[in-house]
Amino acid sequence: MTDVRPAAPSLSDRMERVPVLTRSHRTWMVLLGLLLFFDQSDINAFAFAAPAIREDWGLSVADIGLITAASFLGMFAGSIAGGRLADRYGRKRLIIGATVFYSLSSLASAFAVSVADLAVYRVLTGVGLQAMTVVLLTYISEMYPRRLRGRVQALILAFSVLGIPAAAGLARWVTPHGPGAWRWIFVAGAGGIVIALVAQLTLPESVRWNAAHGLGSASQAVVTRVEEQARAAIGGDLPPMEPLPAPVPASPRELLRPPLRKRLVVVSTYMALGTTVFYGFNAWMPTLLVEKGFTTGQSLRFSSTVALAACPGALLATLFIDRVERRTAVMLINLVNAALLLVFALVDSYPVLVAAGLLMVLTSQAGVACVYTYLPETFPTRLRALGAGIGNGAGRLAVFASSFLIALVLSRLGDTAVFVCLVGAAVLAALVMGMFGERTRGRSLESLADGASATPAPRTVEGTAR
């Protein structure tokens, strides 16, 4: 168990008491949103380029599946490796380094000449993408006060998912220009390196990470600036500080001991089930609709239509993410998703399926915002990125395995059986989170680190804590 000792008001205490989003907070939000925008764009780049690549190289469906599956293995490795490295060497360093790494890997994809080297480049891209994502989520949890971090996470996610239609639009524009034009999709994916360079100059290191590693003096100016901006925004003094436990060094083995062991098992199990449902729906819907008897045109129209709900879905989370216990919200969203998936199993009406699909994407993205906030909250600072990385990695590994399972069920039992399997996974995910998930709403990261009892979060000038 990670030991804690009482401490006088620290840098973390000072960051926690800030009741508003300051100018610095908003600047960080823009940069983090842009970094995640390119992440979302690049992670979907191959899916949009695949039809043109298949035609250009004469590939089979199996070839496309191999490259897609390989990228998820890369994400699994990147999630765990990125988390561990971020806990040792810093959040900012890994965010910038992973972004540069996946950007260069994406650029290399543009020069691929065979399935083998393209698969290698997509594996490397997956490593960088997921390493950046898990550390970025950790960074948000550590740099924003507990009363605001949920809504900040949701707003950043809402902006970042716009990278998906942006990549789709680019693909529709460049691929008709002839053989090899698809390579520009991967060139554009390297654009994240520009944002990484700006972030290198602007983004500070995590205050909590610096404090935990004896480098608090490097964050003094950042915290002081945030406090000054907050005082100017509210026109008065900040709320009094609440002294919080200060973490002492921990090793990765702590994740295998109570109370962190239970949390690791819960988040890994939930992510395996929940991510399978998410990607099972989004990645397989075009194929499943065709199997239900709809035309390819109807299937593609369905996908493009329901995708419109992604950004509103993340924004929907801002209405409740810091007001409702996150494990409760995630549980209820999964139960709603199970009911919507059951509609797909039982109904053949295209308009009804479109309506159900819109609701599915809307609620799913709201759930992603909750999970992205919850995941890093459950682990102490010195193991936060690794714990979140293992959980996230479990989800990516599950998608890799479930891709083959879904294909097998579809070929043997049909589309209805696939939807029933997804319903079962959604219900199990809801039960795991609802019954065993940690309560995190309104709790400081320090009190969560050792399973301390929750204390009510006081109301702020914005009324953000309930």
Side-chain angles (χ1 to χ4, degrees):
M1 184 171 71
T2 304
D3 297 324
V4 294
R5 51 183 169 77
S10 63
L11 294 177
S12 297
D13 305 330
R14 292 164 62 186
M15 289 291 280
E16 280 289 351
R17 70 170 174 165
V18 174
V20 294
L21 290 179
T22 66
R23 186 169 64 253
S24 291
H25 283 128
R26 292 188 175 91
T27 299
W28 304 337
M29 281 179 65
V30 171
L31 287 173
L32 296 170
L34 287 170
L35 286 167
L36 207 55
F37 174 93
F38 277 96
D39 171 278
Q40 291 292 307
S41 175
D42 213 336
I43 204 172
N44 290 279
F46 178 72
F48 298 128
I53 297 174
R54 185 180 178 189
E55 182 179 352
D56 198 8
W57 288 357
L59 303 183
S60 65
V61 174
D63 292 327
I64 299 298
L66 173 65
I67 297 172
T68 301
S71 68
F72 276 98
L73 282 181
M75 292 179 205
F76 166 70
S79 187
I80 296 175
R84 179 59 181 147
L85 291 172
D87 282 337
R88 293 193 63 180
Y89 300 111
R91 317 307 193 206
K92 175 181 175 178
R93 202 171 290 177
L94 257 293
I95 290 173
I96 304 302
T99 301
V100 171
F101 184 83
Y102 86 68
S103 295
L104 293 177
S105 299
S106 179
L107 185 62
S109 300
F111 296 93
V113 295
S114 68
V115 171
D117 62 335
L118 182 57
V120 170
Y121 296 143
R122 296 316 293 171
V123 167
L124 296 176
T125 302
V127 170
L129 284 169
Q130 204 57 33
M132 193 280 289
T133 298
V134 73
V135 181
L136 186 144
L137 301 181
T138 300
Y139 184 91
I140 293 172
S141 73
E142 294 179 346
M143 291 297 280
Y144 290 85
R146 59 187 171 188
R147 305 170 185 89
L148 302 170
R149 61 182 180 240
R151 283 190 288 173
V152 169
Q153 193 75 260
L155 289 170
I156 290 175
L157 176 64
F159 175 77
S160 71
V161 296
L162 296 177
I164 300 173
L170 177 65
R172 290 181 62 184
W173 179 60
V174 301
T175 53
H177 285 75
W182 53 266
R183 298 178 186 276
W184 289 103
I185 299 172
F186 297 119
V187 172
I193 199 169
V194 177
I195 309 303
L197 294 175
V198 176
Q200 174 64 31
L201 300 174
T202 308
L203 206 64
E205 180 54 85
S206 163
V207 169
R208 281 181 166 88
W209 187 88
N210 271 343
H213 286 77
L215 302 172
S217 59
S219 292
Q220 286 285 354
V222 173
V223 177
T224 300
R225 182 168 65 251
V226 168
E227 290 176 324
E228 291 173 350
Q229 292 171 355
R231 290 190 186 95
I234 66 177
D237 292 334
L238 299 178
M241 285 181 281
E242 304 170 30
L244 301 168
V248 297
S251 76
R253 290 190 296 274
E254 302 294 333
L255 290 173
L256 302 179
R257 302 171 187 163
L260 300 183
R261 180 175 58 199
K262 174 190 171 184
R263 300 182 190 184
L264 186 66
V265 171
V266 170
V267 298
S268 297
T269 303
Y270 173 80
M271 290 301 292
L273 293 166
T275 310
T276 293
V277 173
F278 184 86
Y279 281 99
F281 176 81
N282 288 283
W284 283 90
M285 274 311 299
T287 300
L288 293 173
L289 286 179
V290 171
E291 290 295 316
K292 286 180 75 71
F294 296 103
T295 66
T296 301
Q298 286 176 310
S299 174
L300 294 175
R301 282 197 300 274
F302 173 91
S303 298
S304 60
T305 300
V306 301
L308 297 174
C311 180
L315 292 175
L316 174 65
T318 63
L319 301 179
F320 62 84
I321 193 169
D322 288 319
R323 293 179 169 86
V324 177
E325 186 59 54
R326 281 188 255 286
R327 69 176 183 184
T328 303
V330 171
M331 178 187 69
L332 293 175
I333 286 171
N334 275 276
L335 292 176
V336 170
N337 288 345
L340 292 170
L341 287 165
L342 197 58
V343 172
F344 283 91
L346 302 176
V347 175
D348 291 324
S349 169
Y350 186 76
V352 172
L353 294 181
V354 170
L358 285 167
L359 289 174
M360 181 75 183
V361 173
L362 189 78
T363 55
S364 292
Q365 288 296 340
V368 169
C370 294
V371 172
Y372 274 9
T373 306
Y374 173 86
L375 198 58
E377 287 178 329
T378 55
F379 300 100
T381 298
R382 295 182 71 88
L383 296 173
R384 183 166 295 120
L386 177 59
I390 292 173
N392 220 320
R396 306 299 160 170
L397 191 62
V399 172
F400 171 77
S402 65
S403 297
F404 299 102
L405 178 61
I406 289 175
L408 179 63
V409 172
L410 180 60
S411 63
R412 298 284 182 86
L413 302 175
D415 59 279
T416 299
V418 173
F419 287 118
V420 170
C421 288
L422 294 177
V423 168
V427 171
L428 284 175
L431 293 176
V432 167
M433 183 60 75
M435 295 175 64
F436 305 108
E438 190 75 20
R439 290 190 299 115
T440 64
R441 184 187 70 87
R443 298 174 64 184
S444 70
L445 298 181
E446 287 73 20
S447 70
L448 278 163
D450 197 44
S453 299
T455 55
R459 293 178 63 89
T460 72
V461 294
E462 288 190 334
T464 54
R466 293 289 191 275

